[in-house]
Amino acid sequence: MQSSDQPSISGSRALVLLGATGDLAKRMLWPSLLHLDADGLLPEGLSLFGVARLQGTDESFKAGLRADLSGRDGIDAKVLDRFLSRIRYVSGDVTVPEGAAHLAEIIGPVDQLTFFFALSPSLYAAACANLKAAGLIQDNSRLVLEKPIGRDLESSKAINRAVAAVAAEEQIFRIDHYLGKETVQNLIALRFANTFFEPLWTGRTIDHVQITIAETEGIGDRWPYYDEYGAARDMVQNHMLQLLCLVAMEPPSDLDPDSVRTEKVKVLRSLRPFTHASAQQHCVRGQYQAGSIQGAPTKSYLDEVGRETDTETFVAMRCEIDNWRWAGVPFFLRTGKRMAERRTKIVIQFKPVPHSIFQQAGSEDLSPNRLVIDLQPDEDIKLTLMNKRPGLDQGGMRLQNMPLSLSLSASYGGEGGRRRIAYERLLLDVFRGDRTLFVRRDEVEQAWTFIDGLEKAWAEARMSPKPYLPGSWGPSGAFGLTERSGREWVD
Ligand code: BG6
């Protein structure tokens, strides 16, 4: 990854975390910053400001944060004390002029400010305008925006316009935390640092691709947000399409942020839009019912929301990429809540050999090669290869399928051990000014164009979500999606 064209910064720096008491800040951002600090990776002298509307003092905020953060792997009391001493809590509302002016007074003169927007995206425009008016957003400021950027193309354009009114695209870092995951970056290394994958990476040798992001949790308290979005907007628009882009993109000429992002946009532009008819045939929407997970009863999505709702908690679809490399190669995507397992994986299924010479061995012995990239819960890359079963075969050579494994935990488990939070990588890149792993404005808008078309096709085809049981792999139609063309999901 190369550093950006932004000038390197000397002098005082601060990170302002807007939404400092929210769920994302608590679960991901403060822990990531703490670990970066513990490893000596935060810029020297960086001060941290936590801003939220919640009334409270600096002391009460830090007492809560201390309780949340203590006991983390590799963090002792001294490290935690040092980290907390960098932070200052500011109770206020930056979406109004007085709130932003108050923040400016407290921060005082700082050479470079970075703002992390861990807020509802509906507040981004007002926050940007007021921070700018208060003199806080300068030409060297950086703005980190959390997903979702909008709920459709129109609202995402409105947010992007409001942000562009206060900062140049080079100052904006749109987060998709999947891009910070180690194995996702490894996909780039695997494809472009080895000679033997690239010539095979086409519809001539690849039969189909599967991308699954399955979660066991339900929506729970997040339903006010989730019910407005559903699985397609919450997961497909961003994480799944990003993974699809990294699998399908052409080799970029270098790792410059714009080279990579330009290739991803080309893939998004080549995605075949869904129509009324193709949505009915190639998409499945689902919603989880009441049931039980590991013996404990779980509520239905409808019970969690407390009213009738048509929002999907599961989606599976067969996508087509209309370009020379991928013509005729289905990309099957599947994501859902309350599924059988927490599992994120990409499967590249190769075609069978064109002619088998192992007739006597029984054709069931010969299975096509498969590359499986596991992202969660384990990080692993496996290539299944056929080889001969050892022994004195009678009646012909017997074959077996053996995985060649690049298990990241087995290979690197000893070195540092702890698996990093995806946000650590991304925050570090923000401090370094490297935008490679961040999403460009046209990428976000192109992904929304695809999702808007999908939602429109679902509405026209009146496709309501089908019920599925918790602990399953979604509605039965999801199996039909692959089976109709003689394929099957790899679980
Ligand atoms: C978020 C979605 O972006 O990603 C959540 O809003 C989802 O609904 C989460 O649970 C999944 O992230 P991860 O890293 O746990 O797979």
Side-chain angles (χ1 to χ4, degrees):
M1 314 272 152
Q2 295 176 358
S3 58
S4 87
D5 37 15
Q6 287 207 316
S8 59
I9 306 297
S10 55
S12 55
R13 299 174 74 168
L15 172 75
V16 183
L17 207 168
L18 306 170
T21 55
D23 185 56
L24 179 72
K26 277 193 187 159
R27 282 187 309 113
M28 301 287 169
L29 305 177
W30 291 120
S32 298
L33 289 164
L34 169 64
H35 283 294
L36 288 176
D37 194 14
D39 294 342
L41 294 171
L42 286 185
E44 222 179 297
L46 178 84
S47 6
L48 301 168
F49 292 90
V51 183
R53 282 192 286 209
L54 201 71
Q55 286 298 326
T57 61
D58 195 47
E59 291 70 38
S60 63
F61 173 77
K62 284 186 189 168
L65 198 54
R66 181 186 290 281
D68 289 344
L69 295 176
S70 41
R72 295 191 73 91
D73 207 11
I75 303 296
D76 59 28
K78 221 169 104 202
V79 171
L80 186 54
D81 284 345
R82 188 187 64 203
F83 178 66
L84 292 173
S85 70
R86 286 180 184 264
I87 304 176
R88 168 130 189 223
Y89 180 66
V90 185
S91 165
D93 180 358
V94 293
T95 64
V96 294
E98 310 75 59
H102 172 63
L103 180 63
E105 246 169 62
I106 292 185
I107 292 178
V110 172
D111 293 319
Q112 194 210 22
L113 281 171
T114 297
F115 294 91
F116 196 118
F117 289 68
L119 301 171
S120 161
S122 58
L123 304 175
Y124 288 0
C128 279
N130 287 302
L131 291 171
K132 176 79 180 172
L136 284 168
I137 298 182
Q138 308 262 334
D139 289 351
N140 69 354
S141 303
R142 290 175 184 161
L143 309 189
V144 187
L145 306 182
E146 186 53 45
K147 73 160 264 271
I149 312 276
R151 186 183 172 274
D152 52 21
L153 179 61
E154 204 185 313
S155 51
S156 85
K157 278 188 167 172
I159 294 175
N160 281 331
R161 265 197 306 271
V163 181
V166 301
E169 182 65 21
E170 294 69 47
Q171 297 175 259
I172 302 168
F173 295 73
R174 294 181 194 82
I175 290 233
D176 183 314
H177 77 274
Y178 264 62
L179 297 180
K181 292 186 192 270
E182 195 65 25
T183 321
V184 175
Q185 294 161 62
N186 211 354
L187 183 57
I188 301 182
L190 190 77
R191 284 196 59 195
F192 305 122
N194 295 295
T195 43
F196 50 84
F197 283 118
E198 199 43 33
L200 302 179
W201 212 257
T202 96
R204 283 191 297 281
T205 25
I206 291 177
D207 177 75
H208 72 274
V209 175
Q210 300 182 9
I211 303 177
T212 296
I213 306 184
E215 298 176 272
T216 49
E217 298 86 35
I219 310 297
D221 297 342
R222 286 179 77 217
W223 71 262
Y225 151 77
Y226 193 88
D227 203 49
E228 281 285 300
Y229 281 76
R233 291 186 170 100
D234 182 51
M235 296 296 285
V236 181
Q237 190 272 342
N238 35 78
H239 309 322
M240 298 205 91
L241 289 184
Q242 284 293 326
L243 296 182
L244 178 143
C245 284
L246 293 176
V247 171
M249 71 181 183
E250 294 299 313
S253 51
D254 50 38
L255 270 187
D256 180 79
D258 279 325
S259 308
V260 176
R261 299 188 298 178
T262 298
E263 294 307 333
K264 288 196 284 167
V265 174
K266 285 189 204 158
V267 176
L268 293 170
R269 286 215 190 99
S270 311
L271 269 176
R272 188 181 303 168
F274 278 101
T275 61
H276 175 153
S278 65
Q280 267 175 329
Q281 211 187 343
H282 297 312
C283 290
V284 177
R285 299 177 75 210
Q287 193 184 74
Y288 59 80
Q289 295 176 294
S292 65
I293 296 247
Q294 290 172 343
T298 56
K299 282 185 175 181
S300 68
Y301 179 65
L302 288 185
D303 279 344
E304 285 176 337
V305 178
R307 57 171 160 74
E308 274 304 309
T309 164
D310 229 14
T311 300
E312 79 283 350
T313 58
F314 172 93
V315 65
M317 60 178 89
R318 173 185 164 142
C319 299
E320 308 282 340
I321 300 175
D322 289 327
N323 64 20
W324 274 42
R325 187 186 283 265
W326 297 114
V329 180
F331 278 67
F332 294 102
L333 311 188
R334 172 175 70 158
T335 183
K337 307 283 185 195
R338 285 261 181 262
M339 308 283 289
E341 279 175 48
R342 171 163 167 79
R343 185 158 294 284
T344 302
K345 69 160 75 190
I346 302 172
V347 175
I348 314 289
Q349 178 66 61
F350 289 91
K351 289 186 172 167
V353 293
H355 165 71
S356 172
I357 60 166
F358 303 98
Q359 300 300 345
Q360 317 90 308
S363 55
E364 73 276 9
D365 276 350
L366 186 59
S367 51
N369 303 120
R370 179 184 284 166
L371 177 67
V372 179
I373 300 157
D374 278 306
L375 276 77
Q376 284 167 169
D378 303 316
E379 298 183 311
D380 194 6
I381 298 178
K382 273 198 210 82
L383 177 65
T384 60
L385 294 176
M386 296 307 298
N387 67 105
K388 180 190 170 301
R389 275 189 205 186
L392 300 172
D393 301 316
Q394 303 209 41
M397 190 190 291
R398 300 300 306 263
L399 302 177
Q400 68 181 1
N401 194 325
M402 291 281 285
L404 208 63
S405 174
L406 280 181
S407 165
L408 296 190
S409 48
S411 311
Y412 299 104
E415 288 178 30
R418 186 181 66 84
R419 198 166 148 179
R420 286 197 180 272
I421 307 169
Y423 283 90
E424 290 178 56
R425 153 94 276 148
L426 297 173
L427 283 163
L428 197 59
D429 284 356
V430 171
F431 296 133
R432 293 168 54 224
D434 184 339
R435 286 170 292 123
T436 312
L437 297 178
F438 297 84
V439 186
R440 206 168 60 188
R441 178 176 181 167
D442 51 349
E443 261 180 285
V444 176
E445 295 184 358
Q446 197 61 46
W448 277 122
T449 304
F450 177 72
I451 296 295
D452 279 5
L454 176 72
E455 296 275 352
K456 184 165 167 268
W458 284 348
E460 283 170 4
R462 295 181 194 284
M463 283 177 57
S464 307
K466 303 273 185 252
Y468 65 94
L469 282 174
S472 70
W473 286 101
S476 55
F479 295 95
L481 199 68
T482 47
E483 284 164 8
R484 266 200 299 283
S485 58
R487 286 133 172 152
E488 58 181 21
W489 293 106
V490 177
D491 290 331

